[in-house]
Amino acid sequence: MLRFGAVSYLNTKPLVETLDQRLSDWGTLRLDLPSRLAADLAGGELDIALIPSVEYFRNQSRYQIVSDAAIACRGPVWSVRLLSRVPISDIQTLALDEGSRTSAAMSQVLLSEMHHIRPETVPFPIGSDASDVDADAVLMIGDRAMHPPRETYREIWDLGDRWVRWTELPFVFAMWVARRDVCTNPDQLKRIEETLSASRDDGMQCLEKIAIREAASQGLTNEDLHRYFAENLHFYLGPGERSGLKLFREKATAIGLAPPPPAVSGNNA
């Protein structure tokens, strides 16, 4: 039985809608936090996992992308925002949401590239309120970013929108990867690829149903959540997404937030 792991966040729902059923006789699925999934994949406790792109960069010599299903955006993403109390170019301290290392790196890449600044970073703990954080700007992800802040900010960036405008490329937040030892059997690899893509396709066919089921617990309307799935997120890892992933790797490496890519052959971004 292969061991699959996926992020237990709202944006993952369309990718795993039918995955449990599709794995019924040959795999198991566990939902968990990104940091735990990354640690368990690296430690051999999982075989395949949907992990943040930065975590893939850190272990790329040991990992292989195994599906064209992913969590990406091609414009405003809504659930990843930078909120600044000062003009962007004046930011000296940046509070980073502890829920995502990828969005943290993305925000710092954009500030470095667009405004040539490298603010001091401080933690923005999960469960805390932005008004309690002493920093010029705050990175918010997930439901915290999707609800209007009570505080007034000088500038608010949707980081998906900023990335796409700056690079003219999509941004990839997470993708399915496996340890390379899991990918040695071509038939098994093909089954993994087809199953993950089919589960994504199933989810795309029932976005409205997922939105109705999940909206109330997120404090969102059915319509808003359906729009988030259908318009703000993109669930396909195509050539444009791979180009965006490669550029993100290069820029994150340039400012010390990711290691250089390894010199290996195979199916790598």
Side-chain angles (χ1 to χ4, degrees):
M1 298 284 280
L2 290 176
R3 300 160 298 175
F4 290 71
V7 181
S8 55
Y9 288 169
L10 183 64
N11 57 11
T12 308
K13 302 296 183 183
L15 294 183
V16 300
E17 180 68 8
T18 62
L19 188 53
D20 251 339
Q21 299 93 296
R22 290 183 173 276
L23 295 176
S24 60
D25 62 343
W26 65 285
T28 61
L29 175 65
R30 174 162 64 86
L31 302 180
D32 212 329
L33 298 175
S35 57
R36 291 177 185 168
L37 294 177
D40 287 349
L41 185 65
E45 299 299 315
L46 289 172
D47 301 306
I48 302 106
L50 181 70
I51 63 171
S53 53
V54 162
E55 302 294 350
Y56 167 67
F57 298 156
R58 290 172 179 168
N59 288 279
Q60 189 173 343
S61 63
R62 300 171 57 201
Y63 293 165
Q64 179 171 320
I65 297 174
V66 291
S67 176
D68 66 352
I71 299 173
C73 72
R74 291 182 164 184
V77 70
W78 188 20
S79 56
V80 183
R81 290 182 178 179
L82 180 74
L83 302 93
S84 182
R85 300 177 172 113
V86 301
I88 295 293
S89 58
D90 293 341
I91 296 174
Q92 297 185 37
T93 52
L94 172 63
L96 298 175
D97 194 309
E98 292 184 331
S100 173
R101 294 175 183 173
T102 292
S103 296
M106 178 191 194
S107 64
Q108 292 174 85
V109 165
L110 287 171
L111 290 174
S112 175
E113 290 290 326
M114 298 177 70
H115 288 274
H116 309 290
I117 58 174
R118 290 296 308 277
E120 175 188 355
T121 61
V122 298
F124 177 25
I126 295 172
S128 64
D129 191 89
S131 60
D132 299 326
V133 177
D134 184 17
D136 294 329
V138 179
L139 170 70
M140 286 187 185
I141 69 165
D143 59 350
R144 294 202 286 194
M146 297 169 80
H147 294 283
R150 290 176 290 177
E151 185 179 346
T152 300
Y153 292 88
R154 288 285 297 270
E155 294 191 51
I156 298 178
W157 279 10
D158 180 302
L159 291 191
D161 182 54
R162 293 286 169 169
W163 173 271
V164 173
R165 287 174 181 269
W166 172 61
T167 66
E168 298 185 346
L169 290 169
F171 188 85
V172 180
F173 292 96
M175 56 273 186
W176 288 105
V177 305
R179 298 194 323 276
R180 288 188 179 274
D181 59 285
V182 178
C183 305
T184 55
N185 183 319
D187 292 334
Q188 178 169 274
L189 180 58
K190 181 179 180 182
R191 188 176 190 184
I192 292 168
E193 293 172 340
E194 291 177 347
T195 298
L196 294 174
S197 295
S199 179
R200 183 269 321 281
D201 294 344
D202 292 340
M204 295 301 294
Q205 294 298 315
C206 57
L207 293 181
E208 185 174 2
K209 172 184 146 185
I210 299 172
I212 291 171
R213 185 183 70 221
E214 303 289 340
S217 64
Q218 302 296 324
L220 300 169
T221 66
N222 297 346
E223 292 78 11
D224 281 345
L225 187 50
H226 182 268
R227 190 177 305 114
Y228 174 60
F229 288 141
E231 298 178 11
N232 295 110
L233 296 178
H234 184 72
F235 295 102
Y236 298 83
L237 186 65
E241 284 71 34
R242 286 182 178 269
S243 294
L245 191 64
K246 182 175 183 290
L247 180 63
F248 177 47
R249 173 65 176 269
E250 293 171 356
K251 297 301 183 182
T253 298
I255 60 175
L257 298 178
V264 296
S265 61
N267 180 22
N268 292 298

